[in-house]
Amino acid sequence: MTLHYYFARKFLWTYLGITGIFVVILGLIDLVDKLQDFPTLPVWEVVRIVLLNLPYSNYEILPLVMILSSVALFVRLARSSEMVVVRASGVSGFRGMLSALAVAALIGVVSVSVLNPVVAASAKQYNTLVTNYRGGGSSVIAVSAEGLWLRQGNAAGQTVIHAASASPDISSLSDATFISFSPDGVPLSRIAARHATLGAGEWLLEGVKLWDLSDGTNSEATAQRMDRLSVTSALTREGIVDSFGKPEYIAIWDLPDFISQLEQAGFSARRYAVWFQMELARPIFLMALVLVAGAFTMRHNRTTNTGISVLVALMLGFTLHYIRNFAQVLGENGQIPVILAAWAPPAASMMLAVGILLHLEDG
């Protein structure tokens, strides 16, 4: 038990040390980049933007930090001959890795359950600030049992759009209502359309009824009916989809309800379902990376070329990471099932690592 506690403590401190190095490096790089992007902003506001982006940027490279930490730990243990002593005492190399695996699993669980909501909140706030400072038009979208709600706006005012239903690609709305407001919040007009299609810089409405709300008179008496009407809009289909929020912007505890609401409203929630399952599988993938690193770097220096072993371990770990990302893309595009996209790479990585470890240790 003392041995496992010793290895677990060394691995945890190694991981925290490498994480701290990456936090500083990524923070400085992002600070220089943001100072160039926003030269007119006060320095303290730029620092605030950088700090909001730090959790997301480091959370994204967590698997890479894990493989580097594992390689650093096992190389140090091999150079100090501690693994030789462990084997001489009758403990196999695989058993010696159990403490590191337990720490990797703990880091994975904590990152998903605790860090994920923090990263989601900070990343969403960062995106909002950057969009506002870059002068992007505001657009907010919400999905409820009553249908789709969308807000688009600029300096000239705001427009609230409601639709009973929409196409999966958000290119057309059914039973849509457009209510325009002035910058002071005074209603200007209301438009009801049987069908609305998003074109290049405009909404193309069919079966339209228009009420003028700006003059304070009886709007029903002056209402107009038209077969077609064009409403200017700066929105694009991609912009509306992004307004749902990237999966990374939604805390994992809120994802099941969000996915359910999207599906009830007739939208595709595949990208969110893939992300949710991949987050649940994250601890297994981190454990697989530890096994991969240990399989190549825990042997004594006299029996292997350390440089080659480290290079192979790093390359294999990075390859598994990018294969996992590729499977995510396939899952989001519907090329493979959601469960397969999320769980197959961690499971295959784990089996591959165990196979390599058993072959090198006992083969």
Side-chain angles (χ1 to χ4, degrees):
M1 188 65 184
T2 303
L3 177 65
H4 291 307
Y5 176 75
Y6 171 73
F7 282 164
R9 185 180 59 187
K10 294 197 71 169
F11 180 66
L12 179 60
W13 281 112
T14 302
Y15 169 80
L16 293 177
I18 293 180
T19 299
I21 293 173
F22 272 95
V23 167
V24 174
I25 293 175
L26 293 178
L28 291 176
I29 293 175
D30 197 23
L31 178 60
V32 173
D33 184 52
K34 292 299 183 292
L35 286 173
Q36 294 177 348
D37 291 343
F38 307 107
T40 60
L41 283 182
V43 175
W44 62 267
E45 189 66 20
V46 176
V47 172
R48 179 191 175 197
I49 294 175
V50 171
L51 292 178
L52 285 173
N53 191 40
L54 267 183
Y56 174 72
S57 58
N58 284 273
Y59 189 77
E60 199 173 27
I61 63 170
L62 178 58
L64 305 183
V65 174
M66 182 61 66
I67 188 70
L68 291 174
S69 303
S70 304
V71 168
L73 171 70
F74 291 120
V75 167
R76 186 168 56 180
L77 293 178
R79 286 183 175 178
S80 63
S81 299
E82 290 177 87
M83 291 305 300
V84 176
V85 175
V86 169
R87 288 189 176 92
S89 65
V91 178
S92 65
F94 184 79
R95 287 183 58 190
M97 297 177 60
L98 292 179
S99 55
L101 288 175
V103 173
L106 179 62
I107 292 174
V109 172
V110 171
S111 66
V112 172
S113 60
V114 178
L115 295 182
N116 179 279
V118 176
V119 170
S122 63
K124 188 173 182 179
Q125 181 66 20
Y126 164 81
N127 182 68
T128 301
L129 283 177
V130 170
T131 301
N132 290 338
Y133 286 136
R134 286 177 177 168
S138 62
S139 63
V140 177
I141 194 169
V143 179
S144 66
E146 292 77 21
L148 172 72
W149 293 89
L150 175 66
R151 189 187 73 198
Q152 62 182 34
N154 50 38
Q158 301 282 334
T159 300
V160 176
I161 305 172
H162 173 262
S165 61
S167 61
D169 61 354
I170 327 292
S171 61
S172 62
L173 308 176
S174 299
D175 296 330
T177 301
F178 293 70
I179 303 178
S180 299
F181 296 88
S182 68
D184 299 330
V186 178
L188 300 177
S189 65
R190 177 176 180 265
I191 303 174
R194 185 177 64 254
H195 187 76
T197 303
L198 183 61
E202 61 181 354
W203 287 99
L204 303 176
L205 311 183
E206 299 178 4
V208 180
K209 185 176 182 180
L210 170 63
W211 293 268
D212 186 359
L213 308 177
S214 60
D215 56 4
T217 60
N218 186 349
S219 57
E220 183 63 33
T222 59
Q224 305 176 49
R225 291 186 178 272
M226 292 169 279
D227 294 334
R228 288 179 175 81
L229 179 66
S230 174
V231 176
T232 303
S233 175
L235 293 177
T236 62
R237 187 184 66 84
E238 292 77 11
I240 295 178
V241 172
D242 289 341
S243 296
F244 277 115
K246 294 181 179 180
E248 297 89 339
Y249 296 169
I250 304 174
I252 190 170
W253 305 112
D254 300 329
L255 267 176
D257 292 338
F258 185 81
I259 292 172
S260 177
Q261 288 182 353
L262 281 181
E263 292 176 342
Q264 290 177 5
F267 297 102
S268 174
R270 175 174 288 272
R271 63 188 297 214
Y272 300 93
V274 171
W275 173 257
F276 178 68
Q277 294 296 329
M278 290 188 68
E279 286 297 283
L280 295 181
R282 181 182 289 268
I284 297 177
F285 185 68
L286 296 182
M287 294 171 64
L289 294 180
V290 173
L291 285 174
V292 168
F296 288 99
T297 59
M298 68 188 302
R299 290 177 294 171
H300 196 270
N301 294 346
R302 294 180 179 179
T303 63
T304 183
N305 188 319
T306 303
I308 298 298
S309 299
V310 169
L311 180 61
V312 172
L314 291 176
M315 293 300 295
L316 183 56
F318 292 166
T319 300
L320 293 176
H321 174 63
Y322 289 115
I323 289 176
R324 178 172 176 262
N325 292 343
F326 182 66
Q328 178 183 1
V329 173
L330 294 179
E332 291 177 351
N333 292 335
Q335 303 296 320
I336 57 178
V338 172
I339 298 298
L340 184 64
W343 291 92
S349 300
M350 179 68 75
M351 291 186 287
L352 174 64
V354 171
I356 294 174
L357 182 64
L358 292 179
H359 172 72
L360 295 178
E361 286 289 311
D362 303 324

